[in-house]
Amino acid sequence: MEITWYGHACFRLTERGLATVVTDPFDSKEIGFEPLKLKADILTVSQDTPGHNHISAVKGDPYTITGPGEFEIGGVFITGVQTNGHSKKETDPRNTLYVFDYNNITVAHLGNINRVPAQAEIEALGNVKIALAPVGGSFPLEKLTEVISLLEPNIVIPMMYETPASKTKVQPLKDFLKSMGIDKEPEVLPSYQIKSGSSLPEETKVVVLDYQRN
């Protein structure tokens, strides 16, 4: 399968013969980056805010998921688990964490997570191989690294951090890398391709993607 980042929390997940997923389409006027020109079979929204819910930016009449539940669409199994939003206020938008299962290659999109899930919730997510993690938002990095250590993914792909195209105030990537004990400049890839689950590293590795321009 292939994972491509389009900026902020928007990714496209593709695998031959299976449904294409696009996550968290953003409003470029609010968030920055180039306007999205994507097609999808499945569209997920983690939070009802302009950085995550610009549904009209995605073409192809996708099956749209905006909250928790279990789904099977086009050979892809999806589990959505609700977490809280930016704070504990009931008026704040809720956040949904999604796990996508592509033939046992599981990708967790954490959305704008703002709390450490309980052990029972972590276990319910199953064996997460790849985590798409919001590293530049309001969630403290020590809490985010705790979530990562609980999930024990093979791969962590950062999202929602400062780039030249960002309009929102978010932290730089280097702060997250430092929290993960990485002190050298990472290789930046145009996309991440996985041939099989056995090809993934045993130890958790951070993979940095360049946001794609349309």
Side-chain angles (χ1 to χ4, degrees), residues 70-85:
E70 295 184 353
F71 311 86
E72 181 185 353
I73 304 156
V76 180
F77 293 87
I78 304 165
T79 302
V81 177
Q82 183 171 295
T83 70
N84 61 315

Side-chain angles (χ1 to χ4, degrees), residues 9-199:
C10 183
F11 290 85
R12 183 182 65 193
L13 314 180
T14 58
E15 172 64 86
R16 182 178 298 176
L18 299 176
T20 293
V21 172
V22 168
T23 70
D24 284 21
F26 52 80
D27 184 345
S28 63
K29 294 178 182 179
E30 298 276 346
I31 304 302
F33 302 98
E34 292 188 10
L36 296 171
K37 297 177 182 178
L38 295 172
K39 288 185 177 181
D41 302 305
I42 304 166
L43 172 61
T44 60
V45 174
S46 67
Q47 193 173 90
D48 192 18
T49 57
H52 307 266
N53 70 351
H54 196 45
I55 291 172
S56 62
V58 180
K59 310 305 179 185
D61 193 24
Y63 186 98
T64 302
I65 303 171
T66 59
E70 295 184 353
F71 311 86
E72 181 185 353
I73 304 156
V76 180
F77 293 87
I78 304 165
T79 302
V81 177
Q82 183 171 295
T83 70
N84 61 315
H86 287 297
S87 76
K88 295 181 180 179
K89 294 179 181 178
E90 288 300 318
T91 55
D92 279 359
R94 301 296 91 188
N95 181 71
T96 304
L97 181 161
Y98 294 101
V99 176
F100 308 96
D101 188 337
Y102 276 83
N103 290 332
N104 295 318
I105 296 177
T106 46
V107 181
H109 187 288
L110 304 186
N112 205 2
I113 193 170
N114 197 32
R115 69 171 173 87
V116 178
Q119 186 62 41
E121 293 174 306
I122 292 290
E123 291 173 359
L125 298 176
N127 182 18
V128 172
K129 295 188 181 297
I130 301 165
L132 311 178
V135 308
S138 59
F139 195 36
L141 287 176
E142 63 269 20
K143 293 293 186 182
L144 179 61
T145 53
E146 184 179 348
V147 173
I148 291 170
S149 67
L150 288 170
L151 290 173
E152 296 183 313
N154 304 82
I155 296 292
V156 177
I157 299 177
M159 64 178 182
M160 293 174 62
Y161 56 85
E162 182 183 61
T163 76
S166 305
K167 287 185 178 179
T168 54
K169 187 176 180 180
V170 285
Q171 297 180 69
L173 176 62
K174 64 180 178 63
D175 292 350
F176 171 69
L177 297 177
K178 184 178 179 180
S179 74
M180 293 290 289
I182 300 171
D183 55 7
K184 62 180 180 179
E185 196 72 21
E187 180 185 7
V188 180
L189 304 176
S191 67
Y192 186 62
Q193 299 184 27
I194 307 101
K195 293 181 179 179
S196 66
S198 61
S199 68

